[in-house]
Amino acid sequence: AARAVLRIGLRKRGELPGLPGAPMYRFRERSMREYVATTGVPVTAGGENRFMDVGLAAANALGELVDHLVAYRGLSREQAYVLVSVAADLHISSVVNIPNVLVSAALPLDVFE
C-alpha cells in the first residue's frame, strides 16, 4: 500500500511578489532532505521556442530560482546567484514533450540553517 499527501494552495498573482513564470515545487528525498525547485523550458524572453535547447531551459530554471530567493529569502541578486552556483542541482526532468525539454533547478533548504 502507498500513501501520498498533496497540498495545493491557489493565490492571485498580485498577492505574492516574484511568482515564477514556470511551475515550481518542493520535494523531499529519501534522506528526508527537503528542496525547493524551479523549472524552465526553452523559451526566450521574447517568446521564441528553441527546439530542445537544454541550456536555455537550464538558464530559465536557474533564473526562476534566483528570483524566488530574492523575493522570499531577501537575498540580493548577487547573493542568490552565488548560492545557486554552488548549492543548486540541475535535473533534466522531461524530454518527451517535444519541442520542450523541462529542466529543474533544485536547492536544498538546509543551506539556510
Side-chain angles (χ1 to χ4, degrees):
R3 181 176 169 218
V5 176
L6 180 65
R7 279 185 276 181
I8 298 175
L10 297 176
R11 297 183 182 174
K12 292 183 180 181
R13 182 166 292 276
E15 292 178 12
L16 298 172
L19 283 177
M24 183 178 155
Y25 57 97
R26 288 174 70 161
F27 67 96
R28 190 180 308 267
E29 286 183 319
R30 291 182 190 157
S31 67
M32 301 306 287
R33 195 173 191 194
E34 190 173 4
Y35 290 77
V36 62
T38 55
T39 59
V41 293
V43 176
T44 66
E48 177 189 352
N49 190 307
R50 300 250 174 101
F51 185 83
M52 301 300 280
D53 187 338
V54 175
L56 179 57
N60 288 339
L62 288 168
E64 293 286 350
L65 186 54
V66 167
D67 291 344
H68 171 75
L69 293 172
V70 169
Y72 291 99
R73 293 288 179 163
L75 300 179
S76 69
R77 293 198 73 73
E78 293 79 12
Q79 290 170 325
Y81 273 108
V82 169
L83 182 59
V84 300
S85 73
V86 297
D89 293 323
L90 290 172
H91 304 273
I92 296 176
S93 301
S94 176
V95 293
V96 298
N97 297 319
I98 295 173
N100 294 317
V101 61
L102 181 71
V103 175
S104 298
L107 181 71
L109 292 176
D110 58 12
V111 299
F112 297 106
E113 294 176 1

